[in-house]
Amino acid sequence: MSTPADRAPIERAPIANAPSGDQPRDLAPANRPVATPDRALHMIGNAHLDPVWLWPWQEGYQEARATFASALDRMDEYPDFIFTCDQIVLLSWVEEQDPEMFARIGERVAEGRWVNVGGWWVEPDCNMPMGESFARQGLYGQRYLHSRFGKISTVGMNVDPFGHSASIPQILRGHRMDSYCFLRPGPHEGDLDETLFQWESADGSRVLAYRIPFEYGSPPGDVSGQTEKSLGQLDRSLGSMMVFYGVGNHGGGPTKANIDSIHRYDRMGTFGRMTMSSPRVYFDEMLSRGEGFLDGLTVRRDDLQHHAPGCYSAHSGIKAWQRRAQHAVLSAERWAAVEVALGAEDYPRDDLERAWKQILFNQFHDILPGSAIEPSYDDARDQLGEAVAIAKRIITRAHNRIARRIDIPMDAATQPVVVFNPHPWSVSTDVDFQFGAQPHGVRVVDDEGVEVFSQATQSTATTGDRSRGAVTFRAEVPAFGYSLYRLLPGPALPQPSSLSVSGDGAVIENAHLRVELDPRTGDVISLRDKESGIDPLQGTQGQPRTAVCDDPTDTWGHRVVSYAWPGAAMTLDRIVVRETGPLRSRVRVERSWGASTLVEEYLLGHDSPELRVDVTIDWREKAHLLKLRFPVGLDDPSATYEIPYGTIERPVDGAEEPAQSWVDLTGTVDGTPAGLTVVATTKHGWDVSPAGSAGLETASIGVTAVRSPVYSWHDPRLLDPEGIYSFQDQGIQRFSLELVPHAGDWRTAQPTRRAAVLGAPVRAQQESFHGGDLPTRISFADDGSDAVMITAIKGSEDVPDAGATDIIVRAVETTGRAASARLELPFVDRTIEGEFRPHQVRTFRVPLDPAQDVVEVDLLEWPLGEPPA
């Protein structure tokens, strides 16, 4: 069937009024002096609690209960007191450890004096998580609120994260929130001057945004200092303003002294009319002023940066663990959904929720940015490991249940291998596979018996047992599906190949690409596209690709504008040609500096238009950083960065910026359009620097590969030269890059899809011989490999009363241009067609019953415009 999918109007009006009971508490209207300043201060009592920072999560777990007990006590003592609470994980912790207290919270929520805002599981870093992670922050957070209290949050709140992606307004709208409170960047850190403004995503979604003045918390005593400093930053022309107070970071919340001083200053009329209030009440007051007022507000169509750019490269481990876990659980959801469609009775909803909540918790803005104490990363590794282990069990079970249904006739001379592709587009990729009992090697054929490109490679087993071997072969796997291959004994037959590598490793080429390394430095100095003749690296020979710099900045990188500093180039130790087969060539470049080493292995496939780089860093430097730099010979370059669910253009000025998985630099070479895209799935700190900066003569893309500050060192504290400290990122780390030259439009390189495949490769498993009802190759879902990309296939969060679980399918437009989409879902015998605005995210609920219609839903999986069930 074909389902129209073009009804998603741009949401600009508020989507909800204040929940019942949410009213400002005017403290002393009859007693204020006539001379009281004519302004209303909405006093927002809150308790920001970092579940992890300078303490482990176990301490945050206890402090949530202590803080909430204090807030409830204040309500008993002060009938006008209102408490604003965000981070839903804190409520879940209190529910499981103190049900009696949680019941008291429920009573205060119903009364309107305990106001839940934010709607997300935690206050995450708002730049590095994948778009799907942001979707799940609200999915689990808002559904928790609805299930426990009967109402969700309509105000987003991230008071402490260090920057905010430009795609957040659309995500908030998808979570049924129409407004947003944040603190950073401060007035001194960016180009945002307004207190209140409209923030719009590329798809046209808007929220009303409020930058909290001065701080989100206050000292435990008199609030006059907090209020005065807030007034010094507020746009007082608004008339009504929010001032946040309450002891924070380690929790605590509003104190008696806080509240008594608010009563006193309100009675005195010192600052204006001071009312106990909530963000919802304030935003409703602003919205009630009408379209004329709203139209007069600044509309921001950009991200909100920069506060702490160093956090995007601090602690490489947490970045890699997070990205691995996100990919694993997204893949597990997809295969579990296929299992349901193929007749499985159970969708592992509870297991997946447990995995997601571990991921979401560890996206907290002092864990994922690397700014927590060292022991907290033992917990993060274990928790994310649990998420990956859950995902692997689900994937392995699903793959084996599917594989046992494939019709694989007996052929004793072969070993069947099934290759599974988790991506909803076809993938042509090289598969590394370990095998046994074949001392003379193997060759590989597809399901029709046609030999595919393969070559012997080094086994991971280094025992010297010749019965264990490894082969790399080219697999062509249908979109979100599988293909059957067979291993035959004996070496691969000769295959014609355009792939070649020079004896010294300085030149690698195939029919599409000619790669040249400088034999004196090991640097890539040419990436010439043979079809167009364009080389975006033209004229960059002699410019260093590595820069080791002394790094005096703290863990967060406070006050850092750029890490694009001139530095020392690493020394070339040797170049080794490791593979020269018909399928791919591999050249190893080894470098060193001080006690550290850098190994880059350049891989070029026989038909690849890109160069892959597998990187291993053994870092032993303290308070230093390493930039990997990619100079380009481009004139008039422009820079594009991937962000969650989208892209953004930023200036070519060398600023340290966050990115998801890729950055592109496009300009011209001798007047001809050309560009270079660099893909790196676990590195998030980047710069794009103009010619004449970063010690280079040309423009360049820089990746901050490693930093080694002291753990949890917060400027302006000075380190004791004689002190004993623990430094980050000591030891070995591994990641991969792709260098993709193109003819002037990064869209042709499809970097978002490339990043997904690089971060979540196909999986191959041995299989036995048996009959079955499934063919030897199949596609379960296909998004057409065009502008609109499927990002999620999962079971619905709504548990059916009877029958099978509905399937949720989500897709996003990836090029920044309006597009038509056709999403083929053969595993449920459906097709979804529709129009997408630039970077628009759309979600569909697909019943397995063909008599039921496909329904468009929001990120909470509730039908658009309808109340939750």
Side-chain angles (χ1 to χ4, degrees), residues 625-811:
L625 66 83
L626 169 64
K627 275 278 187 181
L628 299 182
R629 192 156 293 285
F630 303 94
V632 295
L634 302 173
D635 296 322
D636 301 319
S638 61
T640 303
Y641 293 68
E642 186 194 17
I643 63 174
Y645 282 145
T647 62
I648 192 169
E649 292 188 9
R650 293 183 177 133
V652 179
D653 60 4
E656 188 78 356
E657 301 278 8
Q660 281 280 294
S661 298
W662 60 266
V663 170
D664 177 80
L665 198 54
T666 292
T668 60
V669 173
D670 297 331
T672 301
L676 175 69
T677 304
V678 180
V679 181
T681 60
T682 63
K683 296 297 173 183
H684 301 290
W686 301 69
D687 72 86
V688 178
S689 296
S693 65
L696 275 71
E697 298 174 2
T698 67
S700 63
I701 298 173
V703 180
T704 308
V706 61
R707 290 181 62 230
S708 50
V710 169
Y711 276 92
S712 298
W713 169 36
H714 196 302
D715 184 69
R717 180 193 174 193
L718 297 178
L719 298 175
D720 181 355
E722 304 300 321
I724 297 174
Y725 303 103
S726 184
F727 292 80
Q728 291 189 352
D729 277 7
Q730 301 297 294
I732 294 175
Q733 60 166 291
R734 296 179 175 87
F735 59 96
S736 294
L737 304 165
E738 283 187 356
L739 308 183
V740 190
H742 58 79
D745 187 349
W746 58 263
R747 297 167 182 84
T748 63
Q750 295 192 312
T752 302
R753 295 181 187 273
R754 287 183 177 278
V757 175
L758 187 63
V762 301
R763 177 179 180 269
Q765 73 170 45
Q766 288 190 158
E767 189 48 49
S768 56
F769 304 108
H770 45 68
D773 61 338
L774 293 178
T776 53
R777 54 187 292 116
I778 199 171
S779 170
F780 296 115
D782 192 341
D783 62 19
S785 300
D786 208 343
V788 175
M789 186 175 85
I790 290 177
T791 60
I793 300 172
K794 61 184 292 290
S796 169
E797 294 303 311
D798 292 313
V799 180
D801 294 330
T805 297
D806 290 347
I807 304 300
I808 299 294
V809 177
R810 183 157 38 250

Side-chain angles (χ1 to χ4, degrees), residues 418-758:
V418 183
V419 181
F420 292 91
N421 172 20
H423 304 289
W425 58 89
S426 59
V427 170
S428 177
T429 188
D430 294 341
V431 176
D432 296 321
F433 192 77
Q434 308 287 314
F435 60 85
Q438 295 295 341
H440 302 294
V442 298
R443 57 192 181 94
V444 185
V445 298
D446 64 17
D447 60 321
E448 296 181 350
V450 177
E451 184 156 357
V452 302
F453 273 92
S454 67
Q455 65 188 57
T457 50
Q458 182 173 331
S459 171
T460 56
T462 55
T463 62
D465 182 354
R466 293 187 66 240
S467 68
R468 296 297 300 176
V471 65
T472 297
F473 65 93
R474 173 59 55 86
E476 309 284 344
V477 195
F480 186 37
Y482 63 79
S483 290
L484 176 67
Y485 291 85
R486 293 175 185 262
L487 308 184
L488 281 70
L493 301 177
Q495 294 254 25
S497 174
S498 62
L499 186 62
S500 66
V501 57
S502 62
D504 61 358
V507 178
I508 322 168
E509 63 181 311
N510 60 21
H512 306 286
L513 194 63
R514 185 181 190 275
V515 181
E516 185 177 348
L517 309 184
D518 187 331
R520 298 167 302 172
T521 64
D523 297 332
V524 180
I525 57 176
S526 177
L527 280 175
R528 182 166 62 84
D529 183 309
K530 289 187 173 183
E531 181 177 351
S532 65
I534 294 172
D535 181 2
L537 273 59
Q538 178 177 307
T540 62
Q541 186 169 3
Q543 300 193 63
R545 269 59 170 180
T546 57
V548 179
C549 309
D550 176 68
D551 178 11
T553 66
D554 72 0
T555 317
W556 286 258
H558 284 118
R559 300 177 180 84
V560 167
V561 175
S562 173
Y563 286 119
W565 305 328
M570 300 189 81
T571 300
L572 175 67
D573 294 325
R574 64 171 183 162
I575 300 176
V576 179
V577 179
R578 287 197 60 196
E579 294 181 21
T580 57
L583 177 60
R584 73 181 183 196
S585 291
R586 181 195 297 258
V587 175
R588 179 182 175 95
V589 176
E590 299 177 358
R591 294 185 174 90
S592 59
W593 190 91
S596 301
T597 61
L598 167 68
V599 174
E600 295 171 298
E601 295 202 325
Y602 296 102
L603 290 89
L604 184 66
H606 78 98
D607 57 354
S608 300
E610 78 287 333
L611 179 67
R612 174 168 166 164
V613 190
D614 288 345
V615 182
T616 302
I617 299 173
D618 188 354
W619 194 247
R620 305 292 171 177
E621 315 307 322
K622 299 177 179 179
H624 281 71
L625 66 83
L626 169 64
K627 275 278 187 181
L628 299 182
R629 192 156 293 285
F630 303 94
V632 295
L634 302 173
D635 296 322
D636 301 319
S638 61
T640 303
Y641 293 68
E642 186 194 17
I643 63 174
Y645 282 145
T647 62
I648 192 169
E649 292 188 9
R650 293 183 177 133
V652 179
D653 60 4
E656 188 78 356
E657 301 278 8
Q660 281 280 294
S661 298
W662 60 266
V663 170
D664 177 80
L665 198 54
T666 292
T668 60
V669 173
D670 297 331
T672 301
L676 175 69
T677 304
V678 180
V679 181
T681 60
T682 63
K683 296 297 173 183
H684 301 290
W686 301 69
D687 72 86
V688 178
S689 296
S693 65
L696 275 71
E697 298 174 2
T698 67
S700 63
I701 298 173
V703 180
T704 308
V706 61
R707 290 181 62 230
S708 50
V710 169
Y711 276 92
S712 298
W713 169 36
H714 196 302
D715 184 69
R717 180 193 174 193
L718 297 178
L719 298 175
D720 181 355
E722 304 300 321
I724 297 174
Y725 303 103
S726 184
F727 292 80
Q728 291 189 352
D729 277 7
Q730 301 297 294
I732 294 175
Q733 60 166 291
R734 296 179 175 87
F735 59 96
S736 294
L737 304 165
E738 283 187 356
L739 308 183
V740 190
H742 58 79
D745 187 349
W746 58 263
R747 297 167 182 84
T748 63
Q750 295 192 312
T752 302
R753 295 181 187 273
R754 287 183 177 278
V757 175
L758 187 63

Side-chain angles (χ1 to χ4, degrees), residues 58 141 188 198 341 368 387 540 547 703 718 767 810 840 844 848:
Q58 295 92 336
H188 59 294
Q198 298 206 60
L368 181 53
T540 62
V703 180
L718 297 178
E767 189 48 49
R810 183 157 38 250
Q840 184 183 10
F844 306 92
L848 294 184

Side-chain angles (χ1 to χ4, degrees), residues 16-91:
N17 293 319
S20 175
D22 268 12
Q23 299 296 328
R25 310 281 169 157
D26 200 351
L27 306 183
N31 298 329
R32 297 188 191 98
V34 175
T36 297
D38 185 18
R39 58 175 172 252
L41 298 186
H42 292 249
M43 305 303 293
I44 310 298
N46 76 108
H48 179 66
L49 172 57
D50 293 325
V52 176
W53 180 28
L54 306 180
W55 44 85
W57 73 265
Q58 295 92 336
E59 189 169 328
Y61 187 93
Q62 184 277 329
E63 183 56 38
R65 175 167 48 84
T67 295
F68 288 0
S70 175
L72 291 168
D73 289 345
R74 299 296 83 76
M75 290 181 182
D76 292 340
E77 297 157 354
Y78 298 93
D80 57 349
F81 173 63
I82 296 174
F83 182 67
T84 293
C85 174
D86 79 329
Q87 300 200 105
I88 310 308
V89 69
L90 304 179
L91 289 165

